[in-house]
Amino acid sequence: MTTTAASPWQPDTWRQRPARQMPTYPDPAPLDAACAQLRQFPPLIFAGEVQALRAQLAEVAAGRAFLLQGGDCAESFDTLDGNAARETFRVMLQMAVVLTYAAARPVVKVGRIAGQYAKPRSADTETQGGVTLPSYRGDIVNGAGFTAAERAPDPARMLRAYSASAATLNLLRALAQGGFADLNQLHAWTTDFVRASPQGQRYAELAERIGESLAFMAAMGFNSSNTPQLREVSFHTSHEALLLPYEEALTRHVDHGLLGSAGGAPGWYATSAHMLWLGERTRQLDGAHIEYLRGIANPVGVKVGPTATPDEVLALLDALDPAREPGRVVLITRMGAGKLAERLPPLLAAVRDAGWPAIWSCDPMHGNTVSTAGGVKTRDFANIVQEVREFFAAHAQAGTVAGGLHVELTGQDVTECRGGGQNLTDERLAERYTTACDPRLNGSQSLELAFLVADLLKAGRRPGGESADKSSPPPAR
Ligand code: TRP
Ligand code: MN
C-alpha cells in the first residue's frame, strides 16, 4: 500500500524524507559532535525489556490486559530533583491498583517519562512585543525563556536530555524494585491533598479491602519477601519520537545473544525508551518520522486525530506493522469530547475488518484543550470524562477492545485542568500552574479518572454491562 515498506531501512534512512517539526540548527559541526557523543553512550534500556513490554502489549491487544500510559506533557531540566518523577510514578501506581482491582486484569504501566523532552509546535516562531524568536521546542532543543540566547537551538542539550533521562530512569527502576511499589505500601501512596478528597476516601476503602486480601495471602505463606510480584512492578518508559538525530544516535543493533530470556528477533532497537510514539503532526506516510519508526523493534504509538480517515489509518498500520504483530502498534485516539462518537466508529470498523491486532488507547486530553478568558491553556475535567465514555461506548458497539488510557498527569497538587472533585475554577488556575507545556490532571483528578475507567471496565466485564447490552453479539476477533 505504501512505497516505504519496500525499501531497505537503516537508522538514518529518515534523512531522505521530509522531516516536519525539526529545529534548524545553525551549525552542523556541534550537531554532529553531539550525535557522535550519543553514539558512544550506553543504551538507556535493554532489548529484552522491550520484548517483555511487547508481550504485555500483546495481552492488551487480546483484551486480557489494560494499558495505562501517563506523565507530563513535557519534562523539564529544571525539575530534576526526583520529586516530579516520584509523584508521577506514585499516582500511576494508585491508578493501576484501582484499574487492576476493577478489571481483574493486569495493567501495563508506561510512563511519558525519562525522555519526554521534545515538543511539536504550531508555528516555527513566536512574536512578543515586536520581537520574533524561534518557538520553544522542548528542553532537548532550546530554552523556554523569551530571549535570543535561550531560544537558539543548541545540540548540546541532547546530551543533557540523555543524562536527565538516565537519572530519571535510574530513580524509576529503584522505586519499581526497591520496595516503594510494594502492594503493602498502597496506603502510603496517598498524598495529603488527595487523602482529603472524595477520591481519597474511595481509594482508602479499596486499600482496606486489598489489605485484607494481602493479610489472607500472607497467612497462606505468600508475602512480599517471598513473592516478588507483590513487591515489584514492571514499569516502562516512552516519549514522543520527534527529534530524529537524537533517536538515530541511540538506535542500536541487537544480535541474538544479547536479547535475554524474553526472546524476540535480532534487529534495530531504539534505546532512548521502551516505547516511542508519533504525534498527529508528524505521521505523514512519506515523512521522516514514519520512516524512522517502521524500522525499530520497539512498540510504537501513533496519535489519531478527528480528521483521520479509515484509509489513512490502514496505511499507517501497513507501514508500521506489515507483519501484523500483536503488541507492535498502539493507536492513540485524540478526538475531543462530542467528536469521538462520530469519528471513531468508522476507524474501529475498518481496522477490525482488516484484521489488524492493533491496540486502541484513548488520549482524552489533546482534543479538549481550550483557552480561558484570561488566555490560560486548560482542559475541562467533564470533557475528559465525556471523551473516555464515548471511547468505551464506541468499542462496546464495534465489539473491539478499549485497550488503554493515555493521559497527561502529575501526582502533584497543581491547578491546571478545570473541574473534577475539587471543582477547580478559572480563578484558581493561577495558584499552582507549573506545567512546561499542556495542562495536566493533578493527583486527585487522575485518581478520579481511574475510578471512572474502572467502572467502565467493570461494566464491560459484567453480563448486561456496556459490551453486552446490544442486540447483536460482537463479531469474533
Ligand atoms: N507486580 C504486579 C504488577 O505490576 C502487582 C503490583 C505490585 C502492583 N505493586 C503494584 C500493581 C502497584 C499496581 C500497583 O501489576
Ligand atoms: Mn501535550
Side-chain angles (χ1 to χ4, degrees):
M1 203 179 292
T2 53
T3 50
T4 39
S7 42
W9 185 93
Q10 285 292 313
D12 64 352
T13 44
W14 64 268
R15 292 177 185 272
Q16 296 151 24
R17 299 181 179 270
R20 305 241 180 127
Q21 295 288 340
M22 218 75 93
T24 317
Y25 289 107
D27 182 356
L31 176 62
D32 292 346
C35 291
Q37 269 271 277
L38 286 170
R39 274 192 284 273
Q40 305 290 315
F41 287 164
L44 291 174
I45 52 97
F46 160 56
E49 296 174 312
V50 171
Q51 289 301 338
L53 175 59
R54 282 196 52 162
Q56 290 181 18
L57 290 174
E59 290 295 292
V60 174
R64 293 188 294 262
F66 188 77
L67 168 65
L68 174 65
Q69 190 174 14
D72 284 326
C73 177
E75 294 178 274
S76 159
F77 295 163
D78 299 336
T79 51
L80 261 182
D81 57 9
N83 291 328
R86 190 195 56 236
E87 292 310 299
T88 297
F89 184 71
R90 184 210 295 268
V91 77
M92 284 194 61
L93 291 183
Q94 288 189 292
M95 295 174 81
V97 159
V98 167
L99 293 168
T100 310
Y101 194 84
R105 26 181 151 142
V107 170
V108 181
K109 301 166 257 324
V110 180
R112 290 175 59 110
I113 201 164
Q116 177 52 16
Y117 288 109
K119 298 307 300 171
R121 300 314 301 258
S122 46
D124 277 344
T125 57
E126 179 183 345
T127 303
Q128 281 185 26
V131 181
T132 299
L133 293 174
S135 296
Y136 170 60
R137 292 188 171 275
D139 279 9
I140 196 170
V141 172
N142 57 4
F146 196 75
T147 64
E150 280 270 293
R151 290 294 174 91
D154 177 3
R157 282 177 169 269
M158 291 197 288
L159 305 176
R160 283 181 72 191
Y162 172 89
S163 315
S165 301
T168 304
L169 187 53
N170 182 60
L171 176 62
L172 292 170
R173 290 184 191 281
L175 293 171
Q177 282 150 34
F180 184 87
D182 191 325
L183 276 175
N184 291 289
Q185 294 295 311
L186 80 176
H187 287 286
W189 301 332
T190 315
T191 49
D192 290 343
F193 92 97
V194 171
R195 194 168 291 125
S197 70
Q199 290 66 243
Q201 287 296 314
R202 209 174 156 188
Y203 181 80
E205 284 161 30
L206 180 69
E208 198 63 43
R209 256 178 287 154
I210 295 174
E212 281 168 19
S213 310
L214 289 172
F216 172 75
M217 299 240 308
M220 301 280 122
F222 298 101
N223 56 48
S224 48
S225 357
N226 64 20
T227 312
Q229 288 93 322
L230 298 177
R231 190 182 60 237
E232 297 172 8
V233 283
S234 88
F235 189 88
H236 293 96
T237 58
S238 68
H239 60 257
E240 178 170 353
L242 192 64
L243 192 61
L244 294 178
Y246 177 81
E247 303 300 344
E248 178 193 326
L250 289 171
T251 304
R252 304 291 153 83
H253 196 271
V254 178
D255 298 323
H256 242 314
L258 287 175
L259 274 164
S261 58
W268 292 97
Y269 285 75
T271 68
S272 62
H274 300 107
M275 175 179 171
L276 297 177
W277 79 83
L278 285 193
E280 176 79 346
R281 303 174 219 222
T282 47
R283 60 170 177 76
Q284 298 78 23
L285 281 168
D286 58 350
H289 291 84
I290 289 281
E291 172 61 16
Y292 173 73
L293 247 68
R294 83 177 169 95
I296 56 172
N298 310 57
V300 295
V302 190
K303 292 287 184 91
V304 176
T307 58
T309 63
D311 283 351
E312 236 171 71
V313 173
L314 293 179
L316 280 169
L317 288 170
D318 199 40
L320 293 173
D321 183 26
R324 305 190 175 209
E325 296 171 45
R328 158 72 175 162
V329 178
V330 183
L331 297 168
I332 308 166
T333 61
R334 33 92 73 228
M335 306 217 159
K339 284 194 199 136
L340 185 144
E342 181 195 330
R343 308 288 166 88
L344 185 59
L347 306 184
L348 295 184
V351 173
R352 179 196 64 203
D353 296 345
W356 247 292
I359 294 167
W360 291 98
S361 176
C362 177
D363 166 0
M365 313 296 291
H366 288 90
N368 293 310
T369 314
V370 292
S371 278
T372 64
V376 180
K377 248 206 266 185
T378 188
R379 290 159 173 160
D380 283 309
F381 190 73
N383 288 335
I384 292 167
V385 165
Q386 178 60 25
E387 182 160 351
V388 170
R389 285 188 186 284
E390 289 174 26
F391 179 80
F392 274 83
H395 281 284
Q397 198 64 45
T400 46
V401 176
L405 181 70
H406 181 118
V407 271
E408 291 184 341
L409 55 75
T410 166
Q412 292 166 311
D413 186 14
V414 300
T415 55
E416 299 171 4
C417 291
R418 293 191 291 219
Q422 303 159 296
N423 200 17
L424 282 181
T425 53
D426 277 1
E427 298 72 60
R428 294 196 43 205
L429 291 186
E431 285 174 17
R432 286 177 304 280
Y433 193 97
T434 57
T435 181
C437 196
D438 287 341
R440 303 160 295 178
L441 299 175
N442 64 28
S444 131
Q445 291 166 330
S446 300
L447 205 49
E448 193 171 348
L449 189 62
F451 276 117
L452 170 87
V453 173
D455 288 342
L456 293 167
L457 284 170
K458 229 191 288 183
R461 265 198 320 140
R462 257 200 322 262
E466 299 225 358
S467 70
D469 70 2
K470 56 184 175 302
S471 41
S472 56
R477 280 187 314 275

